[in-house]
Structures are given as structure tokens and as C-alpha cells.
Amino acid sequence: MNGHPVSYLTFFADKTDYLVYRLRITLSGLPEVLYISGSVQSILGYDPGAFYQDPSLLQRIIHPQDHGFFLELQLRGEDRLYLLHLIRNDGVVRTLEISNAVFVDQKTGDLIVEGVGRDVTDVKLAEEALIRETIVIQTLPNAFVTYDAGGRITGWNPGAEAMSGFSRGEVIGSKQGFVLPADQRDEIADEIRSGFLKGEVVSREVTFIRKDGEERTAYSIAIPLIAPDGEFTGSISIAHDITREKLRERDISSRDRILEAVGYAASGFLSAGLWKDHISGVVRRFGEAADASRAFFYRIDEEGAEAIRLVEWIADGGASGYPETLDCAVYAEGYSLLLSGSVIHGVVGELGPLGELARKVSPDLRSILIVPIAVHGVISAFIGFDECRHDRVWSPSEVQAFEIAGRIIGAAMEREADHQALIESENRFRSIFEGGPLGMVIAGPNQQIILVNPAFERMIGCSQEELVGSTFRDITHPDNIPENERGIADLISGKIPVYTIEKRYLRRGGGILNAQTDLAPIPLPDGRGYIAMIEDITRRKSAESKLRESEEIHRSFLQHFQGIVYRSVEGESVFIHGAVGEITGYHPEEIRSGEVAWSSLIHPADRGEILRRYDTLYATPGDRFNADYRIIRRDGVQRWVNEAIQHRISEDGRSIIEAAISDITRRHEMEEQLSRSNEKLNLLQSITRHDILNQVMAISAYTELMKDLVHDPVTSEYVSGMEATIERIHRISAFTRDYQEVGVKGPIWQDLHTVIARGFINRSPNQITLNNLVEDYEIFADPLLERVFYNLVDNSRKYGGKRISCIRASCREEEGELRVVVEDDGIGIDSSILGRIFSYGAGKGTGLGLFLIREILSITGVTIEVCPADLGGAGFMIRVPPGGWRKGIYNTPPAS
């Protein structure tokens, strides 16, 4: 339009709705409208004449952001497109896209601008809206997907990328529904197609599969795009991932179902019956509520060694998963977690070794939940749930709900245990009340007797019917009533928790019962009463009196004892008392303090043996010995003493050494004289016995010669009688030799098992076996004790008959005695001699063997008698009195 006349502009303006104009811009920069088309009326709301009349109008309608427009035209002086913002007559800003032709007026030098402007306000608004929408779509967390009419993806925003895991480049051009499960695609496509044909927006929940294979849930809205002519051009899909919401809904629903089952369990356990009567139904309800594959309940035994399955519920189509018992040692890791009160839950593949063990037992297992159940603070059972269909993650609310279930079951088990304990306690109380040795009385708030037990009836000599309704005053000695009343008042008022009194009860017939009474308060329906336990202390009172007498005797003994009494506790001397100065020549304090060691007084010839026995005794609690030895007094005089010493452990565990030492010098001198006399007598007996045996030997020789000369039967019978007499003389001589040794040497401690074995071996009976069942016992007896068992074995061999094959020795402790039984399986003892079998001359032989046995045993108070034999033959019982035998710790050589 450069240089065209206004008439041409007018012609052009009549042909278009665009704004056509010609402007002059003076050298001073002021614009002047030379021509403006009538379209300015529709675009800006101004009449064209207004611009001619008011040259400044043009500048006023230019938006402030474009005030530099005319200056720019002057400076640039070029043709180009501009976007110019003008203010309409109503104040609305319009955007015009203008194209200018610029030239200079040669006469004036002003700048002439001719141009055409197009109102692009709506277009720009649309573009801006589109930009904003694009920004919104690109920043939406939701998936925004566009499809063409063929159902292929044309748009895929970042929200869709985040939801699916697929990038835009991976999906553009892909067919609609490729992220849907294959078995649902056709159904969903048909639903959307049907809706689009009706022009409807289709919304629904859909399952989609992410690129990593995870299955999730979304809420999708599909919007059809319809052209003005009604043609379907494509669609838009907006999807929101609702997986968490669905999981939360499912979680809440599952929790509610579980809590409903918990309510069912609680109501069942609160009803009548044992918890075991309801547990099967409870486990089933829990399994169904949890939508589990299996549910189980195990009870842990008291030793904690194994868990025993009481219930297993299996969902339809499932299989059993666990054995009847579980070894807790095998599942130690899981068991220790349960014992700590921890809930075990999760996918088994993520549970480490515990999950591997669980899967070995149940290969189909995918996820597990195990809740420990505590009873009185001890984990005593557990309930568990298996998921075998998929890897299930148990939600916190589900775990919490089942923890509540575990506490409900534990409470039911506790209630039943408490109830059972109450019953047992009542039974024990009833048993103690009715059968106990203590007297028991229950009295009410008014102190009247309500109930008494049989023991108290026996103590008082009155029946329950006679005592009920009376008070303690009626059966208490008058001297004890005031104190008794004060004590009961303090007890009932709560000033004291228990009350104890030693008092005298009045028995039927006027007798007195000394008793200790312990009272404790008990609640009763009509107030606070008490229960009294009455112990008959008559014997204790008597024992206390005897103890006082014994202490007095002991004190008198110590005062008059002519020897030395010594005691040390834990190696520290407690006291040394008696004739210390008279026996040793030293002051007692010198010995007690250790200034003069007792061992230094022992004669050098005896010191080694005595010190060795001291060492053994000090190291062996329970050991003791009795020994005679010499000491050397301060003045150098030699004295003989006897020491009886023992090592015992007190009730509080302390080591105590006690000894009594007596001066036996005079006795020893007498014993030496007696020993010398015995030696002379024994020598005389030996010589006499030797001379007699020589003469008997001569008679025996003559008898042998006579046998060859005598042919008369009567005379031969006489000769045989002489031979029998000679043999009897030999036996009597042997007996006198043995009897001569009885009591010559003092008794000693001897191991019974060893002595029996030696007696059997020395007799060595052919084809007879010994079953020696005696172990760990010693008896205090004459050194000839071995001869006792030798003779018993010899008797069995001689008189047991042909069938004898076994001799058995056994022992038992009974009534403080040690009873040793020696028996055989022979023909037994002739009943005609039972009453005199141990008498001198009884029996089939010399009648001296059993007599000698009795004499040897009697030295230390041991007796022997005939007893029944379990083996069927002869039986003898040796009865060792208390103090004459010992077992175990005493069985040491130094103690002998």
C-alpha cells in the first residue's frame, strides 16, 4: 500500500473486516491519523471521525506496555509484523496483529505509516488457555492420555509416565488398553465404545500393569472428542492411581472383619465352657475374616520343648500345612522371637532362615503371620495365618487386630487357669483343713466359731456341733483370755496383719492343751472374721524342758570332765575346755591361741600317722576317727591320750571340728599288763592245744592200726566212733584257736562289699556264684568280720544240698539300722534246729560255726537272725544298729 491514495485504502477497507489505517508521525514523534477504516467501530468501539477530531485519541488507546511503539517505528523505519495492544472504548484490551509499510514524506520529512490490523484477541486468549492447559496437563499427577479416532495414543503426560513406568516415546502410537490385563481388555474396550456411541463419558475402576509387572488399580474417566459435524475424532482419558486407597479400603474392611471376629471370640470365651470348647470356631472365624489360606493354633508345652497343634482351619481348596507337633529347638530363631512377645509376619522369602524353615514344612507357603499368646506373662501359645496364593503384606491394622485377638485368647486361657487354680486352691485348703495335722478354726465378726476341723476336734476332745456358736473364751484358760482379746481386736481392726500367741486350751474333762495359735483375718459375707491355726506344742514344751536339762547336764559335764573338749569353726578355735593344764602342763589360752600347737605335743613316733589322719579329716566333711597316741607334756613326761574327733557341716553350711581328748595313761598301762597276761595265756593255750593235738595224732595212728586188726563188726563200729571223736576234737581245737582271737584286737570300720567278697573267695565254693549287691557301706566290727561271711558261705556249701548254685548278699536301711541279708537257693534250714541254730553245739557239724559268727558280731552290738530267703534256700539277716554303720562319704581308708 506504499504511496497509495486514500481512495485506494477506502476501497480495500470496504472489502475486509481488518482495520485499515494511514498515520503520520511527525519529526517530534507525535502520531496523526490520516485515515482509519470503519471497522475501528467494531474492533475498538470508536467512530472513525473521533480520531480526526482528537489527534491525541490514538495515543490514549495504546496500552501502556506499547507506548514505545511509534518511537520504535521511527527508529527502525522498516516493514514488519507487530502485536499491538489497544484499549477499547469499554476499557477492554484488544490485541491486534498489524502489518505496516513505512516511508518518508519527501516534502515534510515526516514518517508515513500505512497498515492493516487483524483482531487476534480471541486467538491469543485461546493460545494462552492452551498453553495453560498444556502446563496443567504436563504437571498433573494424574495420567492424561489422548487417543485418535483409531484408538492409538497421541498424548502421554508425565503423570502417565509416573503411573505406568512407560515413557512417552515407548507408548505413542500404541493401541488403547495395552497396559490393561489381557483378560480384561476386550471387556473394557466394549464398555468404552458403547458409551462413546451414546456420547457419554465413561468412568470406572480398572486394573493396570506397570512396566515392572506390578499390578495396580486406577480410577479412569474416558471422554469422547466429537467434531461440530458430529464426527468422532478421538478421546481423552484421565486416570488416577487409587491403589493405596483400595489397599486402605481393603485394610479397613479386613480390620473390621477381624475385629468382628474378635468380638465373636470374646463373646464365646465369656460364655460357659472351657476355652478349648470355643477355640476351633474362633480360629475358623479368624481365618475367614483374614481371607487367609490357613489358620492354626499351637499350645507350647510347660517345658518349652515342643508346640502341639490344637486347631488347623483350611480354606476351600487348600491343604494342610503343618505337623501335629513342632520341635522348638528346630525353630529356635522364630521361637525366641515369639518368647520375646514379637509378632512374626511377612513374605516368607524375606524372613531369612526362618522363612526357609517354614517353607520346608509347607512348600506352598507365600506369606505368614504368627501372633504370640501370653498367659500370666509367659508365652504359652500362638495363633498363625498362612497365605499361599500370593505374596501378601500384612497391614499394621491387621497385625494390630490380631494382636488384640491374641490378648483375648490369652485372657480366656488365663481366666480358665485362674479358675482351675482357684479350684485346686480350694481343694488343697479343704484337704489341709480336713486332713491336716494342725487344728483349724474359722470364726465370724462376732468371734463365734463357724467351723472347726477334725484335728482341732481331736485336740480339744469336742465335736464340731459342740464348738460351733461358742467363742475362744469358752475354750481358753482364764489366764490367757485378756491377752487373747487384745490381739484379736488389733487383728480385726487391721492394726496388725497376723497375730500369734502361745496359750492354753481347756480340753473336755479338764485337761490342758499347750498350743501355738496363729490367726489371720479373712473376709466373710457378714464382715471380717479370722482363721486360726493351732499347733499342739506339748511335745515342744517337753523338748524345751529336756533341752534345758540337757544343757545343764552338758554344762555340768564340761565342769567335771577330766579330759579336754575342743571346737573350731571354719578353722578358728571357738573354745578349748577341761583339764588342759593337768594333761599337757600348758595353760588353755596357750593352746587355744595357737601359741603352742597341739601337733607339737604329739610324740614323734605317732605324729606322722596322726597328722595324716588330721589332714584327711579336715578335707572330708563327715569324717571322724578315734585314736590312741602319746603326747609329751611341758615337763617332758610322756602321757597316753585318746582322741575322738569329727568333722561336720552345720545347718548354715559352716565347717566344724569337734574333739574330746582323755588321758588314758593309766588305762594304757593296765591294757599293757592285760595284754602281757593274754599273751601268756594264749601261749599256754597254744602249747596245751599243741600237746593235746600231738596226743590225738598218736591216738589217730593207733586207731588206724586197729582197723587193720579188727574184723568183728561191733568192734569196727567202735573204731569208727573213735575216728569221729578224733575229728571232732580237731574241729574243737580249731574253734578254740579262732575264738581265742575274738575281741583281742579293737573293732575297726570295714568296707562291707570287700569283706563279703573276700569271705566268699577264701572259701572258694565250686560251682556256686556270688551276687554281691552291697555297695558303699562300712560297718564297725571286730577284725574277724571276714570270718563271719566265710562261715556263712561254708554252711551253704556244706548243707545247701546238690541244687545250690547261688549266694546273694544285699542290704537296706530300715528304722535306723542297716540290715544285711545273706541267702542261697539251696534246700534251706532244718526246721528242727531253728530255735537253737546259733547255740553252742547246735547243727549237723560241730555246731560252732554259727555260734562263732554270733560272738564275733556281738562285740559291737551287731545281731544275726534267720530270715526268709527270696531265693528259696537258707537266709540270714545281720542287723547293724544306728551308729555302727555308715555310707558314702565315710567310706575312706583313713576313717577306718
Side-chain angles (χ1 to χ4, degrees):
M1 295 186 298
N2 190 5
H4 292 290
V6 175
S7 59
Y8 178 80
L9 292 177
T10 302
F11 174 78
F12 180 74
D14 292 338
K15 302 296 184 183
T16 180
D17 292 331
Y18 291 179
L19 180 65
V20 181
Y21 55 86
R22 176 182 284 178
L23 306 177
R24 178 192 298 275
I25 301 175
T26 64
L27 292 175
S28 62
L30 293 175
E32 177 188 357
V33 177
L34 300 179
Y35 172 77
I36 191 164
S37 64
S39 57
V40 72
Q41 180 76 44
S42 60
I43 295 174
L44 298 176
Y46 290 101
D47 183 85
F51 289 93
Y52 302 134
Q53 296 171 5
D54 184 5
S56 65
L57 178 59
L58 179 58
Q59 282 187 303
R60 294 201 309 271
I61 67 172
I62 294 177
H63 195 274
Q65 72 182 65
D66 293 333
H67 277 174
F69 171 69
F70 296 113
L71 180 59
E72 185 180 353
L73 284 176
Q74 282 184 307
L75 294 176
R76 289 179 178 267
E78 61 183 4
D79 299 343
R80 57 172 292 187
L81 288 174
Y82 290 93
L83 284 180
L84 186 64
H85 300 85
L86 301 175
I87 302 172
R88 270 176 55 91
N89 191 22
D90 55 8
V92 176
V93 177
R94 305 295 291 179
T95 303
L96 275 68
E97 183 183 66
I98 61 175
S99 176
N100 294 321
V102 181
F103 59 92
V104 178
D105 187 339
Q106 297 300 324
K107 294 179 180 181
T108 64
D110 296 334
L111 193 66
I112 303 300
V113 179
E114 294 179 350
V116 177
R118 181 167 66 95
D119 187 350
V120 295
T121 302
D122 294 338
V123 174
K124 288 299 181 182
L125 290 174
E127 288 178 353
E128 290 175 3
L130 181 59
I131 291 171
R132 287 195 298 271
E133 289 176 359
T134 301
I135 292 172
V136 170
I137 289 171
Q138 294 301 314
T139 57
L140 275 176
N142 297 330
F144 190 89
V145 184
T146 59
Y147 301 91
D148 62 17
R152 297 192 178 279
I153 297 173
T154 58
W156 190 263
N157 76 330
E161 291 181 336
M163 271 181 61
S164 67
F166 291 98
S167 68
R168 186 175 187 279
E170 290 177 294
V171 302
I172 294 298
S174 298
K175 195 70 176 173
Q176 184 180 23
F178 81 98
V179 294
L180 301 177
D183 59 343
Q184 298 180 23
R185 290 175 188 170
D186 292 342
E187 176 191 348
I188 295 174
D190 290 344
E191 183 179 344
I192 292 174
R193 189 179 301 109
S194 175
F196 283 179
L197 290 175
K198 300 175 184 177
E200 298 174 348
V201 174
V202 180
S203 60
R204 62 165 289 164
E205 289 183 6
V206 295
T207 300
F208 68 94
I209 301 172
R210 282 176 48 85
K211 185 178 180 179
D212 57 12
E214 181 184 1
E215 191 175 279
R216 299 182 70 84
T217 305
Y219 183 77
S220 174
I221 300 175
I223 306 170
L225 298 177
I226 309 298
D229 59 1
E231 182 183 355
F232 174 73
T233 60
S235 62
I236 297 172
S237 176
I238 303 172
H240 172 62
D241 190 336
I242 60 171
T243 305
R244 288 187 179 179
E245 288 84 348
K246 295 300 290 184
L247 288 175
R248 192 175 298 111
E249 287 177 7
R250 190 192 71 182
D251 181 18
I252 293 172
S253 176
S254 176
R255 182 201 62 191
D256 291 344
R257 291 196 306 272
I258 295 169
L259 291 177
E260 182 183 353
V262 169
Y264 165 82
S267 63
F269 288 136
L270 288 173
S271 63
L274 304 177
W275 66 265
K276 288 183 180 180
D277 298 337
H278 302 281
I279 192 66
S280 294
V282 167
V283 171
R284 176 183 60 80
R285 286 291 292 268
F286 283 156
E288 292 172 347
D291 190 24
S293 301
R294 283 188 295 263
F296 50 85
F297 177 87
Y298 278 84
R299 181 80 181 271
I300 300 171
D301 64 10
E302 293 181 359
E303 292 76 20
E306 65 178 13
I308 303 158
R309 192 184 74 199
L310 299 185
V311 180
E312 183 181 35
W313 170 83
I314 304 168
D316 292 342
S320 179
Y322 295 100
E324 295 289 337
T325 59
L326 294 173
D327 188 339
C328 293
V330 175
Y331 298 91
E333 181 180 351
Y335 184 53
S336 62
L337 284 174
L338 291 176
L339 288 183
S340 69
S342 300
V343 176
I344 300 172
H345 64 94
V347 178
V348 292
E350 299 173 0
L351 293 178
L354 177 60
E356 294 175 8
L357 277 174
R359 188 163 278 172
K360 282 183 181 179
V361 177
S362 183
D364 63 343
L365 186 60
R366 300 282 294 276
S367 297
I368 195 168
L369 168 63
I370 303 177
V371 179
I373 297 172
V375 178
H376 292 130
V378 178
I379 303 302
S380 304
F382 56 85
I383 186 170
F385 305 90
D386 291 348
E387 180 55 70
C388 304
R389 295 161 294 189
H390 56 85
D391 291 345
R392 178 172 179 175
V393 178
W394 304 89
S395 70
S397 60
E398 289 176 321
V399 174
Q400 185 180 27
F402 277 121
E403 285 181 313
I404 295 172
R407 288 194 288 271
I408 292 291
I409 296 174
M413 296 172 71
E414 282 184 0
R415 187 184 69 163
E416 184 175 321
D418 292 342
H419 179 67
Q420 186 61 34
L422 178 61
I423 293 174
E424 292 174 359
S425 175
E426 290 175 349
N427 290 338
R428 284 194 300 271
F429 176 77
R430 187 176 297 107
S431 175
I432 293 170
F433 189 86
E434 295 177 355
L438 296 180
M440 300 180 77
V441 175
I442 297 177
N446 55 5
Q447 300 182 17
Q448 286 186 337
I449 295 173
I450 299 173
L451 189 65
V452 301
N453 72 338
F456 189 69
E457 290 178 320
R458 292 191 295 271
M459 289 178 178
I460 297 297
C462 299
S463 67
Q464 177 163 254
E465 290 74 14
E466 294 173 292
L467 293 170
V468 169
S470 62
T471 71
F472 76 93
R473 300 178 191 84
D474 301 319
I475 53 175
T476 300
H477 192 281
D479 293 347
N480 298 128
I481 289 177
E483 180 187 356
N484 209 166
E485 285 181 330
R486 289 192 298 271
I488 292 177
D490 290 343
L491 181 76
I492 298 301
S493 65
K495 289 183 179 180
I496 55 176
V498 293
Y499 172 55
T500 299
I501 182 175
E502 285 189 6
K503 59 184 282 189
R504 288 165 291 174
Y505 286 92
L506 304 177
R507 291 175 52 85
R508 179 196 288 273
I512 296 294
L513 169 69
N514 287 298
Q516 176 175 304
T517 304
D518 298 291
L519 297 91
I522 57 171
L524 295 172
D526 53 349
R528 188 178 173 93
Y530 65 82
I531 181 171
M533 288 174 285
I534 301 97
E535 179 186 3
D536 185 344
I537 58 172
T538 304
R539 290 185 180 180
R540 193 181 81 188
K541 287 289 186 181
S542 175
E544 289 174 353
S545 176
K546 291 179 180 178
L547 179 60
R548 287 192 295 271
E549 293 176 5
S550 174
E551 289 174 346
E552 184 60 33
I553 293 171
H554 180 66
R555 190 177 298 107
S556 175
F557 167 77
L558 290 178
Q559 290 173 352
H560 298 91
F561 180 54
Q562 297 302 310
I564 301 171
V565 178
Y566 168 79
R567 171 183 284 181
S568 71
V569 179
E570 293 292 333
E572 182 178 350
S573 177
V574 175
F575 73 86
I576 182 167
H577 182 82
V580 179
E582 292 83 347
I583 295 175
T584 68
Y586 292 96
H587 191 276
E589 185 59 26
E590 292 180 284
I591 303 295
R592 191 197 67 77
S593 65
E595 181 181 345
V596 177
W598 180 263
S599 59
S600 68
L601 305 183
I602 301 175
H603 193 284
D606 301 332
R607 188 177 298 155
E609 174 63 16
I610 297 302
L611 293 183
R612 184 181 67 80
R613 298 182 73 173
Y614 278 160
D615 290 341
T616 301
L617 179 129
Y618 295 154
T620 312
D623 200 2
R624 63 176 179 263
F625 69 83
N626 189 306
D628 297 346
Y629 58 88
R630 291 162 289 180
I631 65 169
I632 299 175
R633 284 172 45 90
R634 169 173 264 171
D635 56 10
V637 175
Q638 177 178 299
R639 307 289 293 178
W640 277 91
V641 297
N642 170 265
E643 180 174 10
I645 186 169
Q646 70 173 356
H647 181 184
R648 67 182 180 86
I649 302 298
S650 66
E651 292 182 358
D652 57 0
R654 294 186 299 169
S655 174
I656 296 178
I657 304 295
E658 295 172 326
I661 301 171
S662 303
D663 187 339
I664 60 169
T665 304
R666 178 62 181 156
R667 190 191 80 186
H668 196 271
E669 291 172 351
M670 295 176 63
E671 286 176 350
E672 284 186 342
Q673 295 174 4
L674 180 62
S675 177
R676 286 193 292 271
S677 298
N678 283 336
E679 287 176 0
K680 292 177 181 179
L681 289 173
N682 287 339
L683 178 61
L684 177 61
Q685 288 177 1
S686 298
I687 293 171
T688 303
R689 189 167 53 251
H690 182 268
D691 291 344
I692 292 173
L693 288 176
N694 285 340
Q695 297 303 314
V696 170
M697 185 66 70
I699 295 172
S700 178
Y702 286 128
T703 303
E704 285 294 324
L705 292 175
M706 287 178 64
K707 286 171 63 176
D708 296 334
L709 300 175
V710 174
H711 300 288
D712 178 41
V714 175
T715 306
S716 296
E717 186 177 347
Y718 292 156
V719 171
S720 297
M722 291 174 63
E723 287 180 328
T725 302
I726 292 169
E727 177 62 24
R728 184 171 179 80
I729 292 171
H730 276 288
R731 290 179 181 175
I732 293 173
S733 177
F735 169 76
T736 59
R737 184 183 66 245
D738 292 339
Y739 195 74
Q740 176 182 317
E741 298 297 324
V742 175
V744 172
K745 297 180 181 179
I748 58 174
W749 287 101
Q750 301 175 64
D751 181 66
L752 194 54
H753 180 89
T754 302
V755 170
I756 293 171
R758 283 205 305 261
F760 179 82
I761 292 171
N762 289 340
R763 186 62 191 87
S764 186
N766 295 330
Q767 298 178 343
I768 299 176
T769 59
L770 172 66
N771 186 9
N772 191 350
L773 304 179
V774 177
E775 297 290 344
D776 295 332
Y777 286 97
E778 284 188 343
I779 66 173
F780 193 63
D782 191 273
L784 291 177
L785 178 64
E786 181 182 321
R787 190 72 182 181
V788 169
F789 296 100
Y790 175 93
N791 283 355
L792 289 176
V793 172
D794 188 55
N795 266 10
S796 293
R797 183 190 66 82
K798 288 179 179 178
Y799 309 119
K802 294 181 179 180
R803 77 178 192 182
I804 185 171
S805 63
C806 176
I807 296 174
R808 183 171 70 188
S810 61
C811 67
R812 67 179 184 272
E813 299 173 22
E814 190 171 325
E815 297 180 358
E817 295 180 335
L818 181 68
R819 299 183 180 181
V820 184
V821 176
V822 180
E823 55 184 323
D824 61 44
D825 60 354
I827 61 175
I829 300 173
D830 185 353
S831 60
S832 64
I833 62 171
L834 280 178
R836 53 190 178 86
I837 192 169
F838 297 105
S839 300
Y840 183 88
K844 297 180 180 178
T846 62
L848 301 177
L850 292 177
F851 172 76
L852 180 62
I853 287 173
R854 187 185 67 179
E855 293 298 304
I856 292 171
L857 294 176
S858 67
I859 295 293
T860 54
V862 181
T863 62
I864 184 170
E865 61 191 45
V866 176
C867 70
D870 293 338
L871 297 181
F876 295 93
M877 179 185 290
I878 298 171
R879 302 175 67 160
V880 185
W885 61 275
R886 61 189 185 184
K887 181 180 180 181
I889 194 169
Y890 300 106
N891 204 2
T892 58
S896 302

